[in-house]
Amino acid sequence: LACKAIAVKLKGGFSRAGYIIANATLFAGLADVMENTGILFSLNHLISSTVSFCTVFFSVIKWTIVFIAVLYLLASLLALAFCKKRVEPQRY
């Protein structure tokens, strides 16, 4: 939600990236569900190389998307602060 809210306030490629990242975080949620499923299989002694690989695969996807989203939020907050600082106050 934060990525989408910031994307609304920005323009151009930075805004487009925000919408893409906001949608990608939905996929991160799905990857988390798949990772949790793999962990539950492992806890129920249904351990195999396929289950382990899928669990790690979905975990890496999830954390990569989360890392990118956090980087976008930090960068966009800096961009918003820079844009507000550049705007001259109106004189009355």
Side-chain angles (χ1 to χ4, degrees):
L1 289 173
C3 290
K4 191 172 183 180
I6 291 174
V8 169
K9 294 182 179 185
L10 297 173
K11 296 179 183 176
F14 217 66
S15 176
R16 218 172 13 253
Y19 286 115
I20 291 170
I21 292 170
N23 290 330
T25 56
L26 297 175
F27 184 70
L30 177 64
D32 185 47
V33 170
M34 297 303 292
E35 177 193 5
N36 292 341
T37 303
I39 291 170
L40 286 174
F41 281 162
S42 297
L43 289 174
N44 287 319
H45 304 291
L46 299 171
I47 300 170
S48 70
S49 60
T50 304
V51 171
S52 298
F53 174 78
C54 288
T55 302
V56 170
F57 177 76
F58 285 116
S59 177
V60 168
I61 288 174
K62 175 186 73 172
W63 288 111
T64 301
I65 294 171
V66 168
F67 181 71
I68 291 169
V70 169
L71 282 179
Y72 174 80
L73 289 173
L74 293 174
S76 60
L77 289 176
L78 288 174
L80 284 173
F82 181 71
C83 288
K84 285 186 179 184
K85 197 168 204 167
R86 281 186 23 203
V87 174
E88 294 289 324
Q90 293 181 352
R91 297 180 187 171
Y92 293 99

